[in-house]
Amino acid sequence: MFWKKFQYLSDLKGMKPHSVLKELQISSGSANNWKKGTIPNGEILKKIAEYFGVSIDSLLDFSENASVNLASKKSIFKKLTAIPQRFNSLRAVIETTDEQKLAIAKYVGCPIWWLLNDSNIAFEERNETETVDSGIIFTILDIMDGCADNDIDKAMQIQLSRAVIHNLEKHGFNAEKLSELTAESIDQHKLKFILTGEKNKDQSLNYGLNYSDLCYIKALTGLEYTDMFKKIS
């Protein structure tokens, strides 16, 4: 829960949570909502991350035993287990800044917390329209092309894959049709995991779409990468 992480970081700083809120000029009403399980919007998350000197990733890392800097640690083991589904791109996902993650969330049209956590299956769309740098699509493709060697990068690949499927459906390619089109090019167990969140026994299939998958989808549907990722108004 975000509130517990906020309390933890406040304690590390030797301050009471409500004193931090006052210093950041955030209402106590917001804190009450956090206690109920809600998560701040992107701008508030950025302000809090900068105040504590941590990344947005770590603020949204809700695992009980995770340290503040868990998201920045590289796991060789995870990189190796990711290789079967990343044989065309054996390099780590590029490091993205908080600003880039916020820009990606705006481009895709989802909350930042949804983008960085794969526990919510359905695509969570934001209603507001925001102007974003169209060049962020190249950063997104770099993320999809890389080998996810930490939980945050893996979550982004999975959630961005779900955003792709959400947009494909809006373009007339529902899950059933997508499965038929990609039967010979994309592992259907992996596609089912992306669609339902139901994990496979083969851990290498519990990943998002990779760049090769996106190339196949582009060729089969005739859609551009921007059609796949950018929020449809």
Side-chain angles (χ1 to χ4, degrees):
M1 180 183 290
F2 174 78
W3 175 247
K4 287 185 177 180
K5 181 58 69 70
F6 185 79
Q7 283 181 306
Y8 173 69
L9 291 171
S10 298
D11 288 342
L12 285 180
K13 203 173 180 67
M15 297 179 67
K16 297 291 185 182
H18 287 284
S19 297
V20 175
L21 290 172
K22 186 175 181 180
E23 192 165 329
L24 292 176
Q25 297 183 328
I26 298 173
S27 70
S28 57
S30 296
N32 291 332
N33 290 330
W34 301 345
K35 291 176 184 177
K36 295 175 183 177
T38 62
I39 299 170
N41 63 38
E43 294 306 316
I44 295 295
L45 281 171
K46 183 179 178 183
K47 181 188 290 189
I48 294 171
E50 289 176 350
Y51 179 81
F52 287 122
V54 299
S55 66
I56 289 178
D57 300 0
S58 64
L59 286 178
L60 298 178
D61 182 1
F62 304 131
S63 56
E64 291 182 2
N65 299 317
S67 64
V68 175
N69 293 317
L70 177 64
S72 66
K73 296 179 180 178
K74 299 299 180 182
S75 166
I76 295 175
F77 176 74
K78 287 184 179 179
K79 185 179 294 185
L80 290 174
T81 59
I83 284 176
Q85 285 301 317
R86 295 289 182 267
F87 60 93
N88 284 329
S89 53
L90 301 184
R91 62 176 179 80
V93 174
I94 62 164
E95 293 286 345
T96 51
T97 64
D98 285 350
E99 287 74 16
Q100 286 175 313
K101 289 183 178 70
L102 288 169
I104 290 170
K106 289 178 181 179
Y107 187 88
V108 174
C110 67
I112 183 68
W113 66 265
W114 183 89
L115 176 67
L116 303 183
N117 291 275
D118 68 350
S119 57
N120 291 75
I121 304 305
F123 178 73
E124 181 145 336
E125 190 167 9
R126 293 177 60 161
N127 294 322
E128 63 266 32
T129 301
E130 298 187 63
T131 302
V132 293
D133 178 10
S134 59
I136 201 69
I137 185 64
F138 297 109
T139 302
I140 292 174
L141 292 176
D142 274 338
I143 290 170
M144 304 304 287
D145 190 37
C147 173
D149 60 2
N150 62 68
D151 291 340
I152 292 294
D153 289 339
K154 181 180 177 182
M156 280 200 293
Q157 286 179 335
I158 293 170
Q159 297 297 67
L160 286 169
S161 298
R162 288 171 179 154
V164 167
I165 290 172
H166 173 81
N167 284 337
L168 285 173
E169 185 168 3
K170 286 196 171 185
H171 283 289
F173 299 94
N174 60 24
E176 184 178 352
K177 189 171 182 179
L178 180 62
S179 182
E180 291 176 2
L181 283 174
T182 62
E184 296 181 4
S185 56
I186 298 177
D187 192 294
Q188 296 301 290
H189 292 91
K190 180 172 73 171
L191 187 60
K192 183 180 178 182
F193 163 71
I194 296 169
L195 287 166
T196 67
E198 183 179 334
K199 292 186 177 181
N200 297 288
K201 289 184 179 179
D202 182 350
Q203 293 300 311
S204 70
L205 297 174
N206 298 331
Y207 280 81
L209 300 169
N210 58 38
Y211 186 68
S212 297
D213 298 332
L214 294 175
C215 288
Y216 279 121
I217 292 173
K218 183 175 183 290
L220 292 169
T221 64
L223 298 175
E224 297 297 327
Y225 296 125
T226 49
D227 298 322
M228 297 183 205
F229 290 101
K230 190 171 184 180
K231 177 182 178 182
I232 299 175
S233 301

